[in-house]
Structures are given as C-alpha cells and as structure tokens.
Amino acid sequence: MASLNNHIKIHEQCKVAPHSSTQLSLPLTFFDLIWLRFHPVERIFFYTLPNSESHPSFFFHNLVPKLKTSLSLTLQHFLPLAGNIVWPSDSPKPFIQFNPNDDGVSLLLAQSDDDIDFNKILEHNSPHEASLSRSFVPNLESTDSFASIISIQITLFPKSGFSIGISTHHAVLDGKSSTMFVKAWASISKSLEETKAPTLEPFLEPFLEREVIKDPKDLENVFINTWNRISSHFDRSNVRSIKIMSNMFQPIIKDSVRATFELTRTDLEKLNKSILSKWNNVVEEAQEQEQEHPKKLSSFVLTCSYVSVCIAKAIQQSESDKRQKFSFGFPVDCRDRLDHPIPENYFGNCVTNHIVDTEPEDFTKEDGMVIVAKKIYDKIKKMDKGSVLDGLDTLMFKLMAMFGEGVKGMGVAGSTRFGVYEIDFGFGKPEKVEITSIDRGLTIGLTERKDLKGGVEVGLVLDKNVMDLFHTIFHEGICFDS
C-alpha cells in the first residue's frame, strides 16, 4: 500500500460515478458565487465497529462495497456532485457541468495503523493536536478553470471503527445541502439490506432548479467582479480563476489543539437567565431605540455570545501586551427569509454571511456577553423583517478592511438543526462528528449534542495556551447556581 504519512496507508484510490447518461449544466447563483474561491468545507463522521467488522479483510471486502454501491446510487439523485465547476475561456462566468462518460466523485480508501488516533479524537473533553484530523479528510482539486465539487475519504481504524471524511466546495453546497446529501447516502446504504432498488424520502430528494433564486440587484456580476479584483491582487497571473485560495485559508495547526465543549440544556438556561437579568442595564450609545426585552433567547444567540466572549477573553489574556480587537459574523439560511419561497430541499447555496454590529472591544468588556447577545439578537430581528440581503454587495471589502485594521474575525460553521448525529449508514449512529475546516480560521463549530437531549456541542481549534485559558473561562462561566 502507498501511504499518506507514517500512520495512514492508502488501500485504494478510485472514482465513483452515477449510472447516468444524462449530461447536466447548472448555473451558479449569486448565493453560490459568494463562496467561489473559499476554502472547502470539511467534515468527518466517526463510527465504531465490532472487532470482527473492523478487521481489514472484512471491512474492505464486505462493508466498503456497500458504501461504494450506495454512493453511486445516491449520485444519480445528486448529479451536480459528480461533476465539476468549470470556467471555459468562452464563458463570461463559471458554472457546474457533469459529463457522464468522464466525471465522478474521488474516493480514497485508507487504513490507519494507529488506534490511539481514533481514541484521542473520540474523547470529547480532551484536546488533541489539531493536525491529527488532517489525515482523515481528502484534498479537493482546483485549478484556474476547473474545481472538483466533492471528494471523500474512508479510513479504517482496525479493531476500532472507521471514519468518512468529506470535503465539499462551498460554491455548490451550503451546510444544509451537504448534510442532505450525506443523509441521502446513509439512507440508501442502510436500505440496501432490504432492497436492491432503494428510494429516497421526499425531503431528501434535491430540488435543483435555479430559477427560484431571483437576483434583481445583479449580485451575480457583483461577486464575479469582486472575486476578479481579489484575484488580480493575490494572483496576478490570472484574474479569471476559480482556484481555491489556499494561501488565504491555510489550516492553522502549528501549536494548535482541537477540542469539543458542551453546553447542556441546563447550562443554556443558566446563561439565558443571567443575560436577561442584565438586558436593560446594558445600553449602547449607538442604540437607536429601546430594544424589546425578550422572554427567552435562542440557543444560537446564547451559544455564540458566550463562546465568542470566552474566546476573546482567552486571547486577550494570552496576548495581554496589546488591546485585542474582535468581530463576529455568522451564516444565515435565507430559504424562508426571501420575498419568494425557496423549497426546503433546495440543493445549492442559500446562505449569506452577516457581521454583527459590535465594537471591536465589546467582547472583552465586563458585560461583554450581554452586549454581544443583544447585538446578535438585534441582527437576527432585522433580518426577519426582510433585510437579509442588505449590505451583501460590500461584505467582502468590509471584511478585508476590518482584518487590515488588526481585527480578529470570529465566525460560525455548522448548525444544531442539521441532525448529524442521526446519520446511520447501517452500522449505527456516529460516535463523533467533527467540522474539520474550523481550523482554517477563528471559527466556532456547532452541532447538536450527541445524546440528542438538547444543548449544543461546540468544536474549536485554538493555540494551546489560548485553549487552556478558554477551558478555564468557559467552565467557570457556567459553574454557578441559576
């Protein structure tokens, strides 16, 4: 076997294609073009297996063929994923193309020789080297005129289990769409035991029509021109490029650790009570009018305000020689926030990113959690009133200006609504789900808690010293009687 590194051996590298003779071309909407050269979204699903099923001969001869067959059947429903993003010289803009004779999804089959890796990753409360997970996610190919849409790596950990690492191109899939695909694949894989012609539930059938996305402000051309300007600055050799800007989004893994934290339902209730008790006491100078006093804050507002403030305070303590400045942004699903209805099973991007109207020093103030919670709450309220696309045309330049001023940008990936811990390929539910690509920035990874009893699971990658400080601040902040 060839090897990826000293611990990972390549068993097979192949291409899995749908049994389809249909050629397909799909345009990229302005929602897609926002993310045209953004880094891949990478996730890993870890599953445990009995010793007998995790033996290499059994796994690769019995379980892998089932995963391959179900993947091929699933791709018949999700043809765009088997294709590529292309930008021919005679086209004014890039688009998705699937050619039945040539295209398919890259699948890497690998085996780890180190069971310690598997056990380390499954430990929820124990930080491990951030670089460890990088061995279990595949590369996503891209050039100036071509980009793969999805690649998959299945890694066996003998006597323990296996992982499915998935890299997806953000210009084709948002989190909801990529999760829909994985759920569909799992559903077909599980039903292969009962039928050779499995079908999908209606909510897992992708809606591919792009006509439902209206673009009255011509944001499509705005984003193409924006990326061309960014390309001319960073890649002077070719302005027209769809190559992922790896130099801007390198994984930050040197001296960094990856860890998972949990906020139980009880923890969230404590935070809710604490924040709301001070809601009217914290008044911002720029506040135009008295803000309504909510009866209850969402788990999203509570988690993001609490975790972002804990991160900011940990970084400030670690780098106390100068005053640190922070911002916070989060993705917004627009499917039910636009003037015209977008089907829930729409397959593609339908998310925008929004920056919360905080001051750079808000996160480290004494009442920082209340200030940030109020501003996240206010931002969501404004979007619910129809302003979800406001400011989108200048978002990239606003971000670049902030970062140029030394502001550390914090973001969010994932959602507690995706239901990733329910994804069963026929081998049981995952032992752990990790959003690996949070290591490419200061990003909070969100999933529902594994026990499905409410609460939130938070994934982070931070400098070792910062993570130690965060651990202390995080746990001290929820260890109080409500």
Side-chain angles (χ1 to χ4, degrees), residues 272-312:
N272 184 70
K273 187 173 181 180
S274 174
I275 292 172
L276 291 183
S277 69
K278 303 174 184 176
W279 192 264
N280 291 333
N281 299 338
V282 176
V283 180
E284 294 300 298
E285 294 179 7
Q287 194 169 309
E288 297 177 3
Q289 56 187 20
E290 186 175 344
Q291 195 180 50
E292 65 174 286
H293 191 297
K295 295 181 180 178
K296 185 177 177 64
L297 296 171
S298 69
S299 60
F300 179 82
V301 172
L302 293 168
T303 302
C304 289
S305 57
Y306 183 60
V307 175
S308 64
V309 165
C310 289
I311 292 172

Side-chain angles (χ1 to χ4, degrees), residues 383-456:
M383 288 186 296
D384 288 341
K385 293 177 181 178
S387 62
V388 71
L389 300 182
D390 289 358
L392 204 55
D393 54 337
T394 58
L395 176 63
M396 288 191 193
F397 295 112
K398 182 179 179 181
L399 285 171
M400 292 174 73
M402 289 170 58
F403 298 156
E405 295 170 0
V407 176
K408 290 181 168 67
M410 293 183 281
V412 175
S415 170
T416 58
R417 299 181 180 182
F418 289 164
V420 293
Y421 276 107
E422 298 176 344
I423 297 177
D424 182 357
F425 286 84
F427 316 113
K429 294 179 180 179
E431 196 67 27
K432 188 170 185 180
V433 180
E434 174 186 286
I435 306 174
T436 311
S437 48
I438 62 171
D439 63 11
R440 295 179 182 269
L442 200 53
T443 305
I444 301 167
L446 297 182
T447 64
E448 74 277 15
R449 286 182 69 212
K450 179 188 164 189
D451 62 12
L452 305 178
K453 293 181 180 179
V456 182

Side-chain angles (χ1 to χ4, degrees), residues 5 22 27 36 41 47 65 74 138 158 161 252 325 341 351 365 380 388 410:
N5 56 43
T22 303
L36 184 61
V41 178
Y47 294 87
T74 307
I252 307 167
K325 297 184 288 185
V351 295
K365 290 179 179 177
I380 293 172
V388 71
M410 293 183 281

Side-chain angles (χ1 to χ4, degrees), residues 81-101:
L81 297 188
N84 300 284
I85 302 173
V86 296
W87 198 346
S89 59
D90 59 351
S91 174
K93 53 193 175 184
F95 56 92
I96 300 167
Q97 185 176 73
F98 168 70
N99 294 310
N101 297 324

Side-chain angles (χ1 to χ4, degrees), residues 59 112 224 273 458:
F59 181 78
S112 172
I224 289 176
K273 187 173 181 180
V458 175

